Amino acid sequence: MSARTPLMAGNWKMNLNHLEAIAHVQKLAFALADKDYEGTEVAVLVPFTDLRSVQTLVDGDKLKIKYGAQDVSAFDSGAYTGEISGAMLAKLKCTYVAIGHSERRQYHGETDEICNAKVKAAYRHGLTPILCVGEGLDVRKAGGQVAHSLAQLDGALKDVPAEQAESIVVAYEPVWAIGTGEVATPEDAQEVCGALRGRLAELYGREVADKIRIQYGGSVKSGNIAAIMAQPDVDGALIGGAALDVDDFVKIVRFRDQ
Ligand SMILES: O=C(CO)COP(=O)(O)O
């Protein structure tokens, strides 16, 4: 086990309104014991409209759950209708922001250049990016998963200095495993996560690469988390569907007991 603290982050996607969010985080906080946070960081990435409610709850009850957003604008302010800036997320005391999730790349045309601009925007405002990379089924079938994921990493980190990059979280999410029930094998996850760390070492040096947390995401459940977490370069998970089920999410946080 490495010195990196695993990060279990629930990506709620477009689920749970602000009232449901309060109930969900309350249930989660009640289910988690102090010792659950000792060796594991727990976070939820919620819809923008939930953030203020989650902040109020976390602040008011002094919860140890971290929270963040699922996207951020590449711009800081101005005439960008519908966008949310890093400054706005920072004001809501977000810790994390997901960048380049495959659903944003696929449905919102986000390129590596856009992801790069968003990573820089996150750092300008003191937010920690959770940068998502991962290949689709066609690329996987052609054996191109490593090259594809490394190219996305390179693109998103262009001109990002080591002092910033050392705090980034990278999430390897093979698109074919998202929401499909089709989970990558632990060896599949390790192959790409290990290659990502290797590239981070080339870009920033071994010491920085060893600090960076790399998550796996894609049909993670309580039943498969332990085997995935046993891989040397996997430092947590980005969890979609199972994060909407408090019991399952708590079991994932307690992966050491599975
Ligand atoms: O996209 C994901 C997390 O960001 C994974 O989603 P599922 O866990 O529902 O497969």
Side-chain angles (χ1 to χ4, degrees):
M1 178 65 83
S2 75
R4 298 179 292 270
T5 302
L7 170 62
M8 295 303 180
N11 172 12
W12 292 1
K13 308 193 178 185
M14 196 170 69
N15 294 291
L16 307 183
N17 64 39
H18 73 287
L19 299 174
E20 293 164 338
I22 293 170
H24 188 93
V25 172
Q26 276 173 332
K27 267 197 237 165
L28 185 57
F30 187 74
L32 289 169
D34 274 355
K35 74 168 179 37
D36 289 319
Y37 301 96
E38 279 165 17
T40 306
E41 212 182 315
V42 183
V44 289
L45 306 180
V46 308
F48 289 131
T49 50
D50 296 359
L51 280 171
R52 177 64 173 156
S53 305
V54 171
Q55 180 204 11
T56 305
L57 178 59
V58 167
D59 271 4
D61 289 359
K62 299 197 170 27
L63 303 182
K64 292 178 179 164
I65 296 169
K66 308 257 178 76
Y67 58 90
Q70 300 169 12
D71 183 33
V72 63
S73 176
F75 305 102
D76 290 342
S77 66
Y80 301 102
T81 301
E83 292 280 274
I84 301 291
S85 73
M88 292 169 177
L89 298 180
K91 198 76 181 164
L92 288 162
K93 296 196 193 155
C94 287
T95 301
Y96 294 107
V97 60
I99 292 174
H101 190 279
S102 62
E103 287 147 19
R104 298 223 46 97
R105 294 179 190 257
Q106 188 177 348
Y107 305 129
H108 303 274
E110 292 197 5
T111 60
D112 289 333
E113 290 71 31
I114 293 174
C115 294
N116 181 235
K118 291 186 173 193
V119 166
K120 290 172 182 167
Y123 280 125
R124 278 199 299 281
H125 298 286
L127 303 163
T128 299
I130 298 181
L131 171 70
C132 305
V133 301
E135 81 288 352
L137 189 56
D138 48 338
V139 173
R140 159 73 50 174
K141 280 188 171 154
Q145 61 273 14
V146 168
H148 180 94
S149 302
L150 294 186
Q152 288 183 328
L153 183 74
D154 288 344
L157 289 178
K158 189 165 183 290
D159 300 325
V160 174
E163 312 83 79
Q164 292 185 337
E166 71 174 18
S167 68
I168 205 166
V169 178
V170 180
Y172 169 54
E173 296 207 308
V175 180
W176 50 271
I178 295 178
T180 57
E182 192 70 45
V183 63
T185 65
E187 294 73 28
D188 289 338
Q190 172 57 30
E191 180 196 29
V192 179
C193 292
L196 289 166
R197 194 175 311 284
R199 176 55 58 91
L200 290 166
E202 284 167 22
L203 293 171
Y204 298 111
R206 180 50 62 186
E207 202 183 320
V208 170
D210 282 344
K211 282 188 195 161
I212 294 175
R213 289 179 295 181
I214 303 179
Q215 298 175 305
Y216 168 78
S219 298
V220 168
K221 309 225 164 357
S222 54
N224 56 33
I225 187 65
I228 292 167
M229 288 302 292
Q231 300 301 311
D233 287 300
V234 178
D235 309 311
L238 193 53
I239 302 124
L244 300 173
D245 178 328
V246 170
D247 292 343
D248 214 35
F249 189 63
V250 167
K251 284 186 191 153
I252 291 168
V253 170
R254 294 180 181 153
F255 66 94
R256 294 178 184 88
D257 301 343
Q258 304 306 312

